[in-house]
Amino acid sequence: EAGVTQFPSHSVIEKGQTVTLRCDPISGHDNLYWYRRVMGKEIKFLLHFVKESKQDESGMPNNRFLAERTGGTYSTLKVQPAELEDSGVYFCASSRNIRDPDGYTFGSGTRLTVV
Amino acid sequence: AQSVTQPDIHITVSEGASLELRCNYSYGATPYLFWYVQSPGQGLQLLLKYFSGDTLVQGIKGFEAEFKRSQSSFNLRKPSVHWSDAAEYFCAVGGYNQGGKLIFGQGTELSVKP
């Protein structure tokens, strides 16, 4: 089966611009997670979708971040306007069942650089 | 508070030498514990996991980890390191009551000397 796909793999934008990251989960995986790693820090949870519903968005840093998952398939994470501290690697993961955390599959991540 | 600590930011070992990467966690309930590896340009790959049962778990690529509840530790080991093991390693903790989300440590970067 195809893995979790994220694009773009890299994005460099100027402060104040808008960027949209996309994640395509494994087909049939209802659970989709976004994580972020700021340079030198730990990977931190941002939010969790179950199908198209936001199950937990406790990790979203502020209202400049908007995540959507229309139709319960792919998800987008929009940052508007981007700030310097938003730079980092954004990971997406999907799983079929939350009772099976080892069923997580991570994407390769999107490296976002805000200059 | 739930947290994971990886005390070593960077470790260098010689090829063929043994390896131990440390991980300590703080978690209120029975934890699920994981080790992931990230090679350059790649995603996070699961090396091994502990849910319950035997506290010594075997993973891929010859790695193993031991869950020690009394020490709140889940250290990763490999008896003989290969150059291809150079990567960044992440310890993580999670649980069903967390909706499947994971809490990660800061990562340990492993360099391998020839």
Side-chain angles (χ1 to χ4, degrees):
Chain A
E1 65 183 359
V4 175
T5 305
Q6 292 186 248
F7 36 90
S9 57
H10 294 84
S11 179
V12 181
I13 62 170
E14 292 184 353
K15 176 182 170 180
Q17 289 186 323
T18 297
V19 63
T20 300
L21 314 181
R22 173 168 167 151
C23 169
D24 286 53
I26 291 174
S27 178
H29 281 197
D30 287 342
N31 295 278
L32 187 149
Y33 304 82
W34 283 98
Y35 290 84
R36 176 175 76 167
R37 188 184 191 201
V38 173
M39 184 180 294
K41 301 287 185 79
E42 67 271 26
I43 300 168
K44 283 199 168 179
F45 168 82
L46 294 178
L47 86 160
H48 170 204
F49 282 100
V50 178
K51 297 185 180 179
E52 67 274 10
S53 299
K54 292 176 186 174
Q55 186 77 12
D56 178 356
E57 51 185 329
S58 61
M60 295 288 265
N62 51 60
N63 60 9
R64 295 185 293 103
F65 288 75
L66 175 64
E68 294 180 322
R69 192 182 182 194
T70 306
T73 54
Y74 70 90
S75 174
T76 57
L77 180 64
K78 181 189 289 187
V79 185
Q80 179 182 29
E83 298 289 345
L84 298 178
E85 64 264 26
D86 301 332
S87 296
V89 181
Y90 290 76
F91 291 101
C92 175
S94 71
S95 72
R96 191 180 302 278
N97 185 341
I98 65 169
R99 292 182 180 272
D100 180 21
D102 86 311
Y104 256 60
T105 301
F106 278 89
S108 298
T110 294
R111 181 174 297 277
L112 174 65
T113 303
V114 182
V115 298
Chain B
Q2 297 157 349
S3 65
V4 176
T5 300
Q6 293 180 246
D8 304 306
I9 302 299
H10 190 190
I11 283 182
T12 299
V13 301
S14 297
E15 191 167 16
S18 63
L19 172 71
E20 183 170 29
L21 302 183
R22 296 182 290 164
C23 173
N24 292 95
Y25 68 90
S26 173
Y27 198 77
T30 300
Y32 297 160
L33 293 158
F34 306 82
W35 274 99
Y36 285 87
V37 60
Q38 186 184 20
S39 299
Q42 305 295 312
L44 291 165
Q45 181 182 23
L46 180 66
L47 282 177
L48 47 78
K49 64 191 181 293
Y50 171 79
F51 287 174
S52 63
D54 192 347
T55 56
L56 183 63
V57 293
Q58 303 296 321
I60 62 171
K61 304 185 180 186
F63 285 92
E64 67 177 27
E66 186 170 12
F67 171 54
K68 293 185 178 180
R69 184 185 300 274
S70 61
Q71 298 176 20
S72 298
S73 70
F74 189 58
N75 294 348
L76 181 71
R77 301 193 294 248
K78 186 169 184 177
S80 178
V81 170
H82 187 263
W83 64 266
S84 61
D85 293 323
E88 193 159 19
Y89 292 79
F90 296 91
C91 181
V93 65
Y96 170 63
N97 62 345
Q98 294 291 313
K101 75 182 182 188
L102 301 179
I103 299 166
F104 285 86
Q106 285 188 295
T108 297
E109 185 173 357
L110 173 67
S111 297
V112 180
K113 291 189 301 186

